[in-house]
Amino acid sequence: MRRQPLLALLHRYRDAHPDEETCANAFIAFVERHSDCFERTLLCGHVTGSAWVMNQTGTHTLMTHHRKLDRWLQLGGHADGDPDVQAVALREVREESGLTNVQCMEWAIFDLDIHTIPERKGVPEHQHYDVRYQMQATAEEPLIVSPESKALAWVPLDEVPEKVDDSSVRRMLRKWQTV
């Protein structure tokens, strides 16, 4: 079954983060209920992959000013049928930033988030079940802004709370600072 590797990771995440059990359980139930959970054609919601990308010294995180949502966020996107959500997150980081020297820091899920995407151009409001991984990249490599972004920036960690008005990004910052 294509969903089993993700379900195993979600169960491990829930066990490791009992304070996030409600979110993890909702994630697990969604993935178990929808065999097409990796497809954006599932209009109630779908699994996405994103990354908390750090520079090599761990002092800056790579953020995108998302064009459609008009907010600073982590990089990531749709699985488009790929059940390997970590590979999805890595692909999205490379596509959205132009970076080539990016690597996953560990196999385990770093964070989970379920958030609402507003209706746009005939696509109804729906949920993104976002699986997030820790990644590292070389900050010296030039950034290439994709059509999905207004801007990209290596943001110093102490400036993230000022720049980003998103509770899930702030949660990832807190997690990173306690690793």
Side-chain angles (χ1 to χ4, degrees):
M1 177 192 255
R2 297 178 44 184
R3 296 172 284 161
Q4 286 302 13
L6 177 58
L7 286 168
L9 289 170
L10 291 170
H11 283 279
R12 274 185 248 152
Y13 184 87
R14 181 184 61 192
D15 294 345
H17 301 275
D19 55 319
E20 297 180 47
E21 182 178 16
T22 301
C23 179
N25 284 338
F27 236 102
I28 291 165
F30 176 79
V31 172
E32 287 176 339
R33 189 171 40 252
H34 298 284
S35 62
D36 56 347
C37 63
F38 301 108
E39 303 288 346
R40 72 169 91 190
T41 54
L42 180 60
L43 295 180
C44 67
H46 32 265
V47 173
T48 58
S50 67
W52 177 254
V53 182
M54 296 300 299
N55 66 344
Q56 290 180 308
T57 58
T59 59
H60 293 68
T61 187
L62 183 59
M63 304 296 293
T64 179
H65 190 186
H66 195 278
R67 185 170 300 282
K68 291 178 184 174
L69 299 175
D70 196 28
R71 301 185 313 176
W72 285 96
L73 298 168
Q74 77 283 356
L75 286 78
H78 291 96
D80 289 328
D82 188 346
D84 184 347
V85 186
Q86 186 180 63
V88 168
L90 184 58
R91 179 191 75 225
E92 290 292 327
V93 168
R94 289 176 174 156
E95 287 177 2
E96 293 180 357
S97 69
L99 295 174
T100 58
N101 188 10
V102 182
Q103 58 191 351
C104 294
M105 296 172 74
E106 62 178 76
W107 176 247
I109 294 170
F110 179 59
D111 189 60
L112 293 175
D113 192 62
I114 303 169
H115 52 270
T116 302
I117 301 298
E119 182 275 329
R120 189 172 188 277
K121 293 187 178 181
V123 177
E125 178 179 281
H126 59 279
Q127 300 294 307
H128 275 186
Y129 289 78
D130 197 32
V131 182
R132 295 151 172 200
Y133 293 91
Q134 291 180 49
M135 297 192 186
Q136 188 175 57
T138 305
E140 292 76 30
E141 219 180 322
L143 297 173
I144 300 170
V145 178
S146 78
E148 297 177 27
S149 300
K150 292 181 178 182
L152 291 166
W154 284 104
V155 180
L157 294 182
D158 62 346
E159 293 178 18
V160 169
E162 299 163 18
K163 190 172 198 93
V164 180
D165 184 27
D166 184 277
S167 61
S168 72
V169 173
R170 291 177 179 183
R171 182 179 62 240
M172 287 189 291
L173 172 63
R174 286 190 305 274
K175 284 181 178 180
W176 174 258
Q177 291 173 326
T178 60
V179 171

